[in-house]
Each structure stands twice: as structure tokens, then as C-alpha cells.
Amino acid sequence: MKKLSSRFSVAVHVLCLIHLSPSLCTGDFMAASVKTNPVIIRNIIAKLKKAGLIDVRPGVGGAFLLKHLDEITLLDVYNAVEVIDNGELFNIHAEPDPNCPIGKNMVAVLRSEMRAAQSAMEQRFAQVSLRQLVTELGEKNGT
């Protein structure tokens, strides 16, 4: 099964690092924690900045949150970093045979299910704040 991109999970990771880091949280530090290329981190940071979730200190480097953890939901993060065409998460084949009894109706039938699944995911993400994740991280780390 094909997976969605990892931008969302990396962005959540980055935001938690920014909050929990005792010092300036640089792109190289974040890349090491995520175990990815710093270019990927810079791209995600740019998207988070554009969405108004973080800002970056020029020169010395380091990122900081622009909102409290309670004010940032997983939906905010998802909307900031995921690329969705025309508001739809799932793609569907564009031109099935209109003369086929299945083909002429498949897009409509399948699209409603896909929209319902996307809506359920977005509703769930809207209910979860970064505060909840940071709290759970603390519990798992014994702090």
C-alpha cells in the first residue's frame, strides 16, 4: 500500500523539538533527530513559517513557536505541510469509460467514500493539540 508523504510526521517532530529543546533548535539539530537531510527540514520549516506556526532567527539560527502548544492542532500542521489538490487528499482515476456501467458511476461512488475518510481524519486531527503530544512524549520519557 502506498503511503502518504512523511512531511506531516516530520513537521510534528520538528515542532515538538522546537518546544522541548533547552537551547536554540537549529536545522542541523532537527535533521539529526529526525535522521533526514537538513534540506528536508529547511523545506518543512519554510512551510511551518508560511503557515504562521513558527519563526526563525536570522543569523544565529534557531526556530521558535509563534503560538502556544494548546493553540496548534495536528490539523494546523497537516494543512501547513501537506500538498492537497483542490482540497482533496485522495486521487482518483480521471476518465473511466462512460459507456461502462461501472466506469460511469465509479468516480461518484468512490469519491464520496474518500471524502468521508478525509473528513474523519481532519476532524480527529482538529481535536489533538501539540500540548497533548508533548505531554505524552514526557510520559514516555519519564519526565
Side-chain angles (χ1 to χ4, degrees):
M1 179 178 208
K2 188 175 180 181
K3 297 179 183 181
L4 296 172
S5 81
S6 62
R7 283 186 298 266
F8 171 69
S9 63
V10 171
V12 171
H13 189 139
V14 162
L15 291 169
C16 290
L17 274 174
I18 290 169
H19 174 73
L20 293 170
S21 180
S23 60
L24 287 178
C25 199
T26 65
D28 288 340
F29 175 77
M30 292 181 230
S33 179
V34 175
K35 285 191 139 185
T36 193
N37 189 304
V39 171
I40 291 171
I41 297 299
R42 284 193 292 275
N43 289 336
I44 287 176
I45 286 173
K47 291 177 184 295
L48 294 171
K49 184 176 179 180
K50 183 177 179 184
L53 299 177
I54 67 169
D55 203 358
V56 180
R57 291 183 177 101
V60 295
F64 57 95
L65 300 178
L66 290 174
K67 297 181 177 185
H68 295 284
L69 291 179
D70 295 325
E71 298 173 320
I72 302 172
T73 67
L74 292 183
L75 184 59
D76 296 327
V77 180
Y78 176 80
N79 286 333
V81 300
E82 285 301 331
V83 177
I84 300 175
D85 291 330
N86 298 318
E88 296 197 14
L89 173 63
F90 299 102
N91 287 318
I92 191 164
H93 55 291
E95 297 182 32
D97 184 353
N99 298 316
C100 172
I102 304 302
K104 70 180 178 183
N105 294 305
M106 182 54 63
V107 172
V109 169
L110 194 52
R111 181 167 282 135
S112 69
E113 292 302 321
M114 291 174 165
R115 284 183 179 150
Q118 180 178 343
S119 177
M121 180 194 73
E122 289 173 352
Q123 287 175 22
R124 175 66 183 168
F125 282 179
Q127 296 172 6
V128 180
S129 72
L130 278 187
R131 168 76 62 211
Q132 291 168 265
L133 295 182
V134 166
T135 300
E136 189 173 339
L137 284 168
E139 290 168 359
K140 292 196 178 292
N141 289 325
T143 57

